[in-house]
Amino acid sequence: MAGKPTIAVTHLGCEKNRIDTEHMMGLLAQAGYDVSANDDAADYAIVNTCSFIQEAREESVRTLVSLAEAGKRIVITGCMAQHFRDTLLDEIPEAVAVVGTGDYHKIVDVVQRTEAGERVQEISEEPTYIADETVPRYRTTAEGTAYLRVAEGCDYRCAFCIIPHLRGDQRSRSIESIVAEAHKLADEGVQELILISQITTNYGLDRYGKPKLAELLRALGEVDIPWVRIHYAYPTGLTESVIAAIRETPNILPYIDLPLQHSHPEVLRSMNRPWQANVNDRLLAQIREQLPNAVMRTTFIVGFPGETEEHFEHLCDFVQRHEFDHVGVFTFSPEDGTAAFDLPNQLPQEVMDGRRDRLMALQQPISLKRNQAYVGQTVDVLIEQVNPKTGQFLGRSARYSPDVDGLVYVTGPARLGAIVPVTITAAEPYDLFGEVAVSA
């Protein structure tokens, strides 16, 4: 093992990218490399980049430039490597390798080749790889939480989205593989599994010929993990059988993450989601009826080309009418390679920013009302951080997913990685405050 270079790994972007990062770290550690997140002393800096929107690319570029100025040998992996595979090595002389989204499992070989003096381009034109439970993984999340990828890639072609170009078509893991990894994570003490893919409600369609999310959820009901959370539901995939599996499987949280993107039929048609306008209201009513305790999260894009003030007001009315628990709002980003890139009637950024701020201002009192309903109640909270100066803990209730929703600020005895009962004493629009109900 002596003489091997030290390697720092930086993760940017989404949680799918995080899992790729964790597998690379696991493979490198298994091969005997000293791996950490500390760039300062490392010989190599692996940067797992994001290229979803312009803002993400700018963050990736800033990180790469900073490492180049520090004299690091840089390995660029992830979505930006896939996106700009023909130019990155020319544009960043300090880069010794670029590795695509479907090739991260080759990272040990890539490092070995660069050590031998080669500048490596390891990028499959069409990503097809997806890791299973046999691939080593070094988790980077809080100890009680783990992301579990059930599929990779997407078969849909929403006009604003570059993901299929960067990640390929959908490929699902087997139910047996996913459950086996879930059992391993349970043995490590994980309290919360977050199921992710580009469209989790389409899980299994490519492998089994029809979606199998309901069957997967029931199988995960046999795993000794208290919370299983689903991310990225596509409206048509929330079938009766999926809703029933959520309702009837005790450890599946009734947390519905449903990125609707817009409400107006004309905007949805332009987004290449024309069917959705006929689904939204009916589906949301069905969820409220069949999952009365459901926590509803959604995201919207404002400023899509051609969005008028009338379209935007329709969206505002939709948000006020449905009173989602959590709402994220993004301004449209024109991405080269997508159908929306050169659509006519592109909106100025200041108009998009104004609409985003107006929609979030509408949502704030709704979120506050939702949170205030929990004051006086005792809820389970997963403890994730502690302030060493004050002793106050930070955690999340089942209503909150990490990084995208709020936090619960907790006083009283608790331990990291545990789920403890907390009596809620105060609420803000995004966060809750409480005290441990019993000694934990």
Side-chain angles (χ1 to χ4, degrees):
M1 301 296 180
K4 287 195 173 186
T6 56
I7 300 175
V9 184
T10 299
H11 152 255
L12 303 172
C14 70
E15 304 310 333
K16 276 84 69 180
N17 225 27
R18 179 189 293 277
I19 290 179
D20 297 349
T21 299
E22 293 179 347
H23 281 305
M24 284 192 287
M25 294 176 75
L27 288 163
L28 289 163
Q30 183 185 65
Y33 290 92
D34 181 7
V35 183
S36 75
N38 181 6
D39 301 320
D40 295 339
D43 301 304
Y44 281 82
I46 297 175
V47 182
N48 202 11
T49 58
C50 181
S51 193
F52 182 48
I53 58 175
Q54 180 65 29
E55 184 179 344
R57 282 194 294 277
E58 290 171 357
E59 181 187 13
S60 294
V61 168
R62 286 194 300 271
T63 302
L64 294 170
V65 168
S66 174
L67 290 167
E69 290 174 346
K72 301 299 178 186
R73 305 182 72 193
I74 303 170
V75 177
I76 307 171
T77 69
C79 287
M80 182 173 272
Q82 190 76 32
H83 199 175
F84 301 104
R85 56 183 176 270
D86 296 326
T87 59
L88 276 178
L89 286 179
D90 291 335
E91 292 179 356
I92 304 178
E94 295 83 0
V96 295
V98 289
V99 181
T101 59
D103 302 276
Y104 60 88
H105 57 299
K106 304 171 187 173
I107 191 64
V108 173
D109 177 66
V110 167
V111 171
Q112 290 171 345
R113 288 161 63 188
T114 61
E115 280 291 280
E118 184 181 350
R119 271 189 113 201
V120 180
Q121 184 187 56
E122 189 64 71
I123 300 177
S124 302
E125 186 141 346
E126 294 292 332
T128 58
Y129 178 74
I130 181 169
D132 62 20
E133 78 283 3
T134 66
V135 181
R137 178 178 172 189
Y138 182 90
R139 286 195 294 116
T140 59
T141 47
E143 62 182 288
T145 299
Y147 291 92
L148 180 56
R149 179 161 47 200
V150 302
E152 176 65 284
C154 183
D155 294 334
Y156 291 140
R157 297 296 184 265
C158 297
F160 53 82
C161 185
I162 200 170
I163 290 299
H165 178 65
L166 302 180
R167 293 270 174 178
D169 291 333
Q170 178 174 295
R171 56 253 190 220
S172 301
R173 296 169 59 183
S174 70
I175 290 176
E176 293 78 11
S177 170
I178 295 165
V179 172
E181 185 170 5
H183 280 297
K184 288 172 66 173
L185 292 166
D187 291 341
E188 294 173 12
V190 166
Q191 301 293 297
E192 175 187 35
L193 279 184
I194 303 175
L195 308 184
I196 58 170
S197 69
Q198 273 66 35
I199 299 175
T200 303
T201 37
N202 272 14
Y203 163 74
L205 179 60
D206 57 303
R207 175 179 283 269
Y208 299 110
K210 61 181 180 179
K212 288 278 190 175
L213 179 59
E215 291 84 348
L216 174 62
L217 295 178
R218 293 186 187 277
L220 290 170
E222 303 300 316
V223 179
D224 186 21
I225 290 181
W227 292 356
V228 178
R229 187 186 305 274
I230 310 162
H231 266 208
Y232 316 120
Y234 209 64
T236 51
L238 275 173
T239 59
E240 292 273 0
S241 62
V242 171
I243 291 174
I246 295 171
R247 184 176 63 245
E248 296 166 9
T249 312
N251 63 342
I252 306 299
L253 298 178
Y255 177 96
I256 310 298
D257 179 18
L258 194 66
L260 295 174
Q261 312 304 0
H262 213 280
S263 64
H264 198 284
E266 292 175 7
V267 178
L268 289 167
R269 192 176 304 116
S270 297
M271 288 179 167
N272 200 27
R273 298 165 70 102
W275 48 266
Q276 190 183 310
N278 299 320
V279 171
N280 282 351
D281 286 315
R282 185 174 71 251
L283 175 63
L284 292 169
Q286 179 187 16
I287 293 169
R288 296 286 188 206
E289 177 187 348
Q290 298 187 16
L291 292 171
N293 296 321
V295 175
M296 298 288 291
R297 173 178 177 76
T298 192
T299 52
F300 297 111
I301 296 172
V302 296
F304 193 82
E307 183 192 55
T308 65
E309 188 65 27
E310 179 188 349
H311 295 151
F312 177 68
E313 289 298 334
H314 187 281
L315 178 58
C316 291
D317 291 343
F318 181 81
V319 168
Q320 288 183 297
R321 187 167 75 253
H322 286 291
E323 295 194 330
F324 297 95
D325 294 84
H326 311 295
V327 171
V329 183
F330 301 91
T331 58
F332 170 72
S333 177
E335 298 303 316
D336 194 4
T338 66
F341 177 69
D342 53 4
L343 282 177
N345 302 313
Q346 304 265 343
L347 275 68
Q349 188 64 46
E350 59 266 24
V351 172
M352 296 194 287
D353 290 344
R355 289 181 180 175
R356 177 197 59 208
D357 295 346
R358 284 161 60 193
L359 193 57
M360 288 303 296
L362 279 177
Q363 175 62 28
Q364 269 208 335
I366 298 171
S367 294
L368 177 60
K369 183 174 77 170
R370 291 286 191 191
N371 274 352
Q372 285 175 331
Y374 287 85
V375 174
Q377 293 190 30
T378 298
V379 301
D380 286 340
V381 173
L382 175 58
I383 302 297
E384 295 188 307
Q385 299 177 55
V386 61
N387 184 326
K389 293 182 179 178
T390 65
Q392 185 180 50
F393 291 95
L394 290 177
R396 292 177 294 106
S397 74
R399 297 184 65 245
Y400 295 151
S401 196
D403 299 326
V404 294
D405 299 329
L407 294 168
V408 184
Y409 292 79
V410 179
T411 56
R415 64 179 177 83
L416 294 176
I419 294 176
V420 300
V422 174
T423 301
I424 303 302
T425 56
E428 292 182 352
Y430 302 117
D431 301 320
L432 294 171
F433 301 80
E435 300 173 353
V436 177
V438 294
S439 180

